[in-house]
Amino acid sequence: MAIEPSLLDTCTAHLKICLKNIHKVIQKANEILCSISQPSVCSEVLLSSRGADYISGVVEVYRLSKRMEGGMKTHNIDCERLGFILRDIELSWNNLQAFLSICPSLLLALPSQSVLDYAAEGVFSDLSPCLQSCCGVCLMDRPVEETPSEVKTGMLNVGGHPYHTSCANFWLHCVDSTLPVMACYSNCSACMRLKNYDS
């Protein structure tokens, strides 16, 4: 099902601002590590508890970009501008992984690419899920693995709209103080059933 043009514009603007902020966070991590001139000092910083916590946070931000990519595939959102930002995020992430390679124990703690491949999970046939049942940030309609132990958690419900905890956290701290609320397709079968049930 194709998204209506006005809704597509809203989704694209929403995704663009979030992805740009994700890129800024990962780029900032690269700048910080690049400013450390000696590998031994960089290794010491990364292996400290604060350094490990910081990298863990950056990993979670990268995971959000992969969920957003999966949400885009789920809803058939194919936008060249968003593709460029996703490519920049991947380049920054690959650069960051090169810094992390000086600490093999940190590399082992990173989630595997298969765990991050929400895009493959996000491919639906003709039927996109109801946007009002999807996370208002990443547009994925299911709980996700929020922790390294891959324990599935539910979604937060804020003002009657669902959000993954990490998605809401990133949006509120790095994008805007108000969580985004997505309208749904005018011909969404789930919304139509709900309207018929209520009447």
Side-chain angles (χ1 to χ4, degrees):
M1 177 188 301
I3 294 185
E4 299 149 9
S6 61
L7 183 55
L8 179 60
D9 289 345
T10 302
C11 285
T12 302
H14 152 92
L15 292 164
K16 182 180 173 187
I17 190 171
C18 196
L19 288 170
K20 281 189 160 202
N21 280 286
I22 287 170
H23 183 239
K24 280 183 192 174
V25 168
I26 297 172
Q27 193 62 30
K28 182 68 176 172
N30 275 301
E31 289 169 13
I32 290 169
L33 294 177
C34 193
S35 70
I36 302 172
S37 57
Q38 295 184 350
S40 60
V41 175
C42 191
S43 182
E44 188 177 331
V45 168
L46 290 171
L47 292 173
S48 70
S49 60
R50 286 181 67 189
D53 286 346
Y54 175 72
I55 292 301
S56 175
V58 175
V59 168
E60 189 54 45
V61 169
Y62 177 68
R63 286 172 69 114
L64 171 55
S65 76
K66 300 306 283 182
R67 284 201 300 273
M68 293 180 78
E69 188 177 359
M72 288 167 60
K73 292 235 169 133
T74 297
H75 296 283
N76 299 311
I77 299 170
D78 185 17
C79 173
E80 191 176 23
R81 288 176 298 167
L82 296 178
F84 288 142
I85 302 170
L86 285 167
R87 186 205 61 205
D88 290 344
I89 289 170
E90 284 302 317
L91 290 171
S92 293
W93 176 251
N94 289 337
N95 195 43
L96 184 63
Q97 284 185 303
F99 281 111
L100 299 181
S101 67
I102 64 171
C103 299
S105 60
L106 272 178
L107 274 180
L108 289 173
L110 294 180
S112 69
Q113 197 59 42
S114 62
V115 169
L116 293 170
D117 197 8
Y118 299 100
E121 293 177 25
V123 178
F124 283 76
S125 55
D126 297 333
L127 189 63
S128 295
C130 173
L131 271 172
Q132 293 188 5
S133 69
C134 296
C135 171
V137 175
C138 73
L139 308 183
M140 293 290 280
D141 70 330
R142 61 179 74 73
V144 295
E145 299 79 15
E146 298 264 341
T147 62
S149 62
E150 324 259 286
V151 175
K152 291 206 174 207
T153 60
M155 293 168 78
L156 296 170
N157 191 311
V158 180
H161 301 281
Y163 303 91
H164 297 116
T165 305
S166 55
C167 291
N169 188 41
F170 180 80
W171 186 275
L172 292 171
H173 286 93
C174 299
V175 181
D176 196 338
S177 59
T178 305
L179 287 169
V181 175
M182 300 304 296
C184 201
Y185 316 97
S186 60
N187 57 352
C188 171
S189 56
C191 290
M192 296 299 281
R193 278 197 307 272
L194 191 58
K195 282 179 188 170
N196 291 336
Y197 179 77
D198 289 341
S199 55

